[in-house]
Amino acid sequence: PPQAVAQAALRRAATGDRCHPGGSLPSWFLQFPNAPLHRPAGPRVPGRAPPLLQRICSLGPPSLAPSMAHHPRLALAAVLASTKLLLSFGGDGLPYQSNGDKLWVPEDAEASKDQESFDAAFNPTGAFTRQNFVYFLATSGGTVLTAPILQEVYRFRELARRNLTATDICDGGCSPLTPSAVGYSEVCDRAAGDASSELSQCLTYGSAFPLFEDGSGNVVLDLTDAEILEMVESGTGVAGSLYPPGGNVTFDVRRVFGGLEYDGAGKLVSAKAVKLGLPLEGYKSSVDAVKDQLEAATAWEDQLNLLVGEEWTSDPPLSRGSAYGDDIAVEWESPLVDAYPNTAGAIERELSGNISGDVIKINIGFILIGAYALAVFFKFDPRRSRSALAIAGLVSCALSVGVAYGFTTLIGYEVNPVVTVLPFILLGIGVDDMFVLEQALSATDKTAPPAERMAACMGSAGVSITVTSLTDLVAFALGSTSSLPALAAFCCFATIGITADYLLQISFFAGWMALDAHREAAGKPDCCPCCGPLDPSVESGCCGCFANSCAAVKAPEEGLLRSVLRRHYAPALARKPVQVAVVVCMAVWAAVCGWQASKLSVDFEYRWFVGDDAVLQRTFDVEDEYFGGLPLDVNLVTPSSAAFDYSAVSSQLLLEQLAVAAETDPWVDTSSLVSFQRALLAWAWAAKGSASLESAAGGPPSSLADAFLPPADYYSWLYEFVTASEGGAFARDVLWVDAAAPGQGLSAARLRATQLPLTEAADEIDAMDSLRASVASVPIEGAYAYGFQYLYYEQYKVIQREMLTNLGLAIAAVFVIVLLILAELRTTLLVMLCVLLTDVSILGVMQMWGLTIDSVSVVNLVLAIGLAVDYSAHVAHAFVIAKGTHTERMQSAVSEMGTAVIHGAFSTFLAVLVLSASQSYIFRVFFKQFFSISVFGVAHGLLLLPVLLVLVGPPEMPSDGDAEEPKGGYPPAVPDVPEAQASARVAPGLPAQKAEEGQPTIHVMPQQETRDSIGRLLRSPREPTITPPRPARGCLFRPLSAFLELAIALPVR
């Protein structure tokens, strides 16, 4: 009936259907006195019910857009005020975390729990050792096992221990230390409970010189080369009491001499490097109680670096003292050896030093992307050019970066090395959204009022940028649940940054778009919007300013890229041979990348986070070449006497079973096991006599293998043993509840061993799991295996699981989001296929490019999910809402969205291009993976997806409405009619009939009168009669759609 046709036409007009190619309001308008009026929600395909997200967007950005267009300055002021508030949360400085244990070790890792237990037992004060090593190589390249070389290294040791002092710590400004002059004896590592400042009490492990100490503590180096070779090879020292020949305690020369070389008979002939250890006491926190000690240790380490050379510290140095300052008292140069220091704060110093270089790269990235955006937004027509708008878009991206850092640190997260790439991500995503919004604004009718243009722009582009922002946001939000602290922190920063970027795009950037629309409507030039309108004769201008200065160059109606896509690229994809070639080539490429991805390995080295050009890399090279592949220390820890009675014969038997289990483990060096229980039995057999021992069967034992200590004497004999010279080496393996009362038992004990040298992550994981299983096979409740390296092995163990979990969750969430937005299952599956193939391509290229699976690459793989959706969802959405055959809809989608997709991908590539020459491992990995994301995301989104949509895409969805609409979905073409005819209030083509009481009448008006009537309707006090249209087929939320229609109509009314 006529009313049904009229209502359908009203719905088309109210929801923003284009009624002619120009996209402006039609010359006819149907007014219903009692009907609601909606502001246009942006151009849509005629006769098509809007998908769910377009309805939601018509509640958000489109209804906001007219207000933004009417009051842009007020809106911008509000946005800037709120953004400034968020930026201020960051404070004066950002907290920075570079501690590897807190970044790369899973929070719920078994090794983390074991470390807490181990430290609580063997390190109750909370102190840890600040390891400082200096490696020495002979300048001639020869052996270091000569008296002159060792004497030169010893000279350096004594300079550092006795003469090197630090007086000031310099961090922005120099301040004196407490005490005023800090020497090695004030900060060196000591035995637990030793509070003296005597140099003789400083621990000397990690150094070769204990091998050459006599019984009085003096170092004897007046030896022949043959004597030195003999001592090093045998592991026995000058003092027979420390490392007696034939004894069971030898000096592990592999840990202090590197590059050991043997002749054909297996006799040691030379060593290429020697290590000097200068350990300092450290603390786990930087609270005020230990702040002075931390500053003193840091300053002394810096002076140690300066003693070697100024190139080994930051510029300017972090301290002043005897090696650097006003009065240099200590200098060291040697013609015999070259020194390579690696101090405890070296890696943190290098990471902090990289930040300044990162800031420079970020600025260069902004400049590149800014230049590209200006080039894209520029047009020779000074009225249509939008160069100034590009600058506003870049400012919105910069603001989102500030909010990401400020707000995220407010809620307790710390910046880490991975977070340094966040500005590039937000810049790429923000500029991508900027291109989509600008293209949508340019597609609107230039003659329409700015408010209508903004509503149409945000109604159409709001769908696209909401899809991409929501998928990126959800992917990172899920990643923030990762057990890897560095990955979780980065994803939290990214989640907040993407949210801020989206909100700024639809508010801050939209406000500038409204101002630019007003400028364009007023005919003002781009570069000088405050100037008066240009003369109508002005048709071109260089930089959008100088009138007719480029008269020979006319601004094209259609951009070059869009023209190429519409005229050449899209038609080429419509040809069957091309489609077959695309599908075959993509299938082959996916197979190759899948094969390469299957060979990806897990690996991680902390040195990767130090710049390639850092001088510290030279030390790492020395460590890898001469000290790599060393056996790794492990501890088999047993619980306190309250849980495990060490004195019981059954417990002594279990301790022996634990030792045997460790010795028989395939990854443990059998000869390396150190058991206090075995040594105690051997001592008791010799010192107390076999008759004083017991056997398992009762009575005296027949051999040491069958011997056990009497339970009544166990703890007293153990205390006597570890306090004697024979058992002094085991004193650190047993911890007493109260050393003054040994009968109270032990708080913990341990057996020590070394695992075989390992280089592959898979072997390291197997070795850790194997030893844990060996310990678990012995029924000692509370016993566990722990080694410091296990903290990193845990990352290797969980990283693949974390990668698969995060990728799986992200893909599932993105699938649900895209399905709800597109409301079409087949198209959603095609989009997700392209996303999966993009990730497979990235994984394959990672293997080809020599990358491995680690925390940094996993971050980028999670990011790839969101960005790959960006490239495909735009095209898929345009295809779904298009009209015509499959081929026509594909060509329309590629022509409409291809320009924005290519500009977005290329701008993202530009943002990270500067990282290709970076010396930072994180930045190089980021560049390689982002390059892959850009290339393969576009390839699948603009090459494979259009072909698949033509071949197996969904059919055109039916038109919405209660009555059948004219062919093509457009209302009947009706010319403007005179005022007299319009007053007849009868629409042409409909039978004239008298309107019934309460029923709307039909009124045909010219376009200008239509706009005037909009205003009158908005001010009309009459209650609306609301009949929400049905949602499109496939929409999962019919009730929600109806509610949104109602919610939209009431405030607009």
Side-chain angles (χ1 to χ4, degrees), residues 940-982:
H940 289 92
L942 280 182
L943 188 60
L944 179 62
L945 181 60
V947 171
L948 295 178
L949 288 172
V950 171
L951 297 176
V952 295
E956 178 185 342
M957 295 176 68
S959 300
D960 182 39
D962 297 325
E964 183 179 354
E965 299 186 52
K967 185 176 180 180
Y970 292 96
V974 181
D976 289 345
V977 295
E979 192 70 25
Q981 182 178 346

Side-chain angles (χ1 to χ4, degrees), residues 419-583:
V419 178
T420 55
V421 302
L422 180 65
F424 297 98
I425 295 175
L426 297 181
L427 181 62
I429 294 175
V431 171
D432 188 9
D433 293 343
M434 185 175 74
F435 284 132
V436 173
L437 289 172
E438 189 278 336
Q439 181 178 341
L441 181 63
S442 298
T444 58
D445 182 14
K446 310 300 186 294
T447 63
E452 294 180 13
R453 296 186 64 191
M454 285 297 300
C457 166
M458 299 302 291
S460 59
V463 177
S464 295
I465 67 172
T466 303
V467 171
T468 57
S469 298
L470 191 58
T471 53
D472 292 338
L473 188 152
V474 170
F476 281 116
L478 292 172
S480 64
T481 63
S482 171
S483 62
L484 293 174
L487 175 58
F490 173 85
C491 289
C492 186
F493 275 91
T495 300
I496 293 175
I498 291 172
T499 302
D501 178 77
Y502 172 71
L503 295 177
L504 285 166
Q505 290 291 334
I506 65 173
S507 57
F508 179 83
F509 183 65
W512 286 105
M513 287 173 62
L515 288 175
D516 197 70
H518 280 286
R519 174 200 61 79
E520 186 177 4
K524 296 180 180 180
D526 174 32
C527 66
C528 187
C530 297
C531 300
L534 291 174
D535 187 271
S537 63
V538 177
E539 297 181 355
S540 67
C542 290
C543 304
C545 289
F546 302 104
N548 289 330
S549 56
C550 300
V553 181
K554 299 296 183 181
E557 292 296 326
E558 184 179 49
L560 177 61
L561 180 58
R562 180 184 173 88
S563 176
V564 171
L565 291 174
R566 183 177 61 84
R567 297 181 179 181
H568 305 288
Y569 182 76
L573 290 180
R575 300 172 184 170
K576 288 297 181 183
V578 174
Q579 295 173 358
V580 172
V582 167
V583 172

Side-chain angles (χ1 to χ4, degrees), residues 36 104 223 231 304 330 366 388 402 451 759 776 806:
W104 316 116
L223 303 169
M231 288 184 185
L304 179 64
V330 180
F366 267 88
T759 58
N806 283 281

Side-chain angles (χ1 to χ4, degrees), residues 27-372:
S27 57
W28 55 273
F29 187 78
L30 301 178
Q31 180 186 9
F32 290 75
N34 296 326
L37 177 67
H38 300 204
R39 290 186 184 272
R44 261 200 329 108
V45 174
R48 185 71 183 272
L52 175 63
L53 186 61
Q54 189 161 341
R55 295 171 184 260
I56 296 175
C57 286
S58 64
L59 176 62
S63 57
L64 176 67
S67 299
M68 186 77 72
H70 287 301
H71 308 287
R73 295 173 181 83
L74 180 61
L76 287 174
V79 171
L80 286 174
S82 59
T83 304
K84 175 62 175 68
L85 177 63
L86 292 175
L87 287 171
S88 66
F89 287 151
D92 296 331
L94 296 174
Y96 189 82
Q97 179 61 259
S98 58
N99 188 333
D101 298 351
K102 297 181 179 180
L103 291 177
W104 316 116
V105 180
E107 294 178 344
D108 57 348
E110 183 177 347
S112 297
K113 300 174 184 177
D114 292 342
Q115 183 190 39
E116 293 179 3
S117 301
F118 185 85
D119 287 345
F122 292 89
N123 195 12
T125 62
F128 69 97
T129 302
R130 294 180 66 91
Q131 298 284 3
N132 298 287
F133 297 109
V134 183
Y135 301 90
F136 294 89
L137 275 66
T139 304
S140 63
T143 182
V144 297
L145 298 180
T146 65
I149 295 294
L150 294 178
Q151 290 169 2
E152 195 70 1
V153 175
Y154 183 73
R155 182 171 72 89
F156 179 91
R157 174 182 183 259
E158 293 304 292
L159 278 175
R161 285 164 52 91
R162 300 182 183 277
N163 304 104
L164 188 65
T165 59
T167 57
D168 299 89
I169 184 71
C170 301
D171 186 8
C174 294
S175 57
L177 295 170
T178 303
S180 58
V182 176
Y184 182 69
S185 60
E186 282 80 22
V187 293
C188 70
D189 192 25
R190 299 177 179 83
D194 186 354
S196 67
S197 59
E198 296 294 330
L199 186 62
S200 60
Q201 299 301 312
C202 295
L203 299 179
T204 59
Y205 55 85
S207 175
F209 295 109
L211 185 65
F212 302 99
E213 289 182 1
D214 60 14
S216 302
N218 299 315
V219 177
V220 179
L221 293 175
D222 187 15
L223 303 169
T224 65
D225 292 350
E227 290 174 329
I228 294 174
L229 280 171
E230 178 61 27
M231 288 184 185
V232 172
E233 184 175 21
S234 62
T236 58
V238 172
S241 60
L242 292 177
Y243 305 102
N248 61 351
V249 179
T250 59
F251 188 86
D252 191 353
V253 297
R254 297 173 300 174
R255 298 187 181 276
V256 294
F257 291 103
L260 299 174
E261 296 179 350
Y262 299 84
D263 59 15
K267 188 173 182 61
L268 180 67
V269 294
S270 70
K272 296 296 185 181
V274 59
K275 179 169 68 174
L276 171 64
L278 295 166
L280 305 185
E281 187 176 6
Y283 298 86
K284 287 190 174 181
S285 62
S286 57
V287 295
D288 293 339
V290 298
K291 181 178 180 182
D292 292 341
Q293 293 93 322
L294 279 175
E295 290 183 345
T298 302
W300 191 88
E301 288 172 358
D302 192 57
Q303 288 294 304
L304 179 64
N305 287 323
L306 289 165
L307 183 61
V308 178
E310 292 187 13
E311 70 273 17
W312 293 96
T313 187
S314 57
D315 186 18
L318 300 175
S319 67
R320 301 175 70 85
S322 57
Y324 178 87
D326 297 332
D327 300 316
I328 299 178
V330 180
E331 294 181 292
W332 182 81
E333 290 184 1
S334 174
L336 298 179
V337 295
D338 297 324
Y340 302 87
N342 185 0
T343 55
I347 293 181
E348 184 173 354
R349 181 191 70 234
E350 292 293 342
L351 290 175
S352 300
N354 286 340
I355 294 178
S356 58
D358 296 344
V359 172
I360 295 174
K361 294 179 179 66
I362 292 172
N363 292 333
I364 294 175
F366 267 88
I367 292 173
L368 287 176
I369 197 66
Y372 182 74

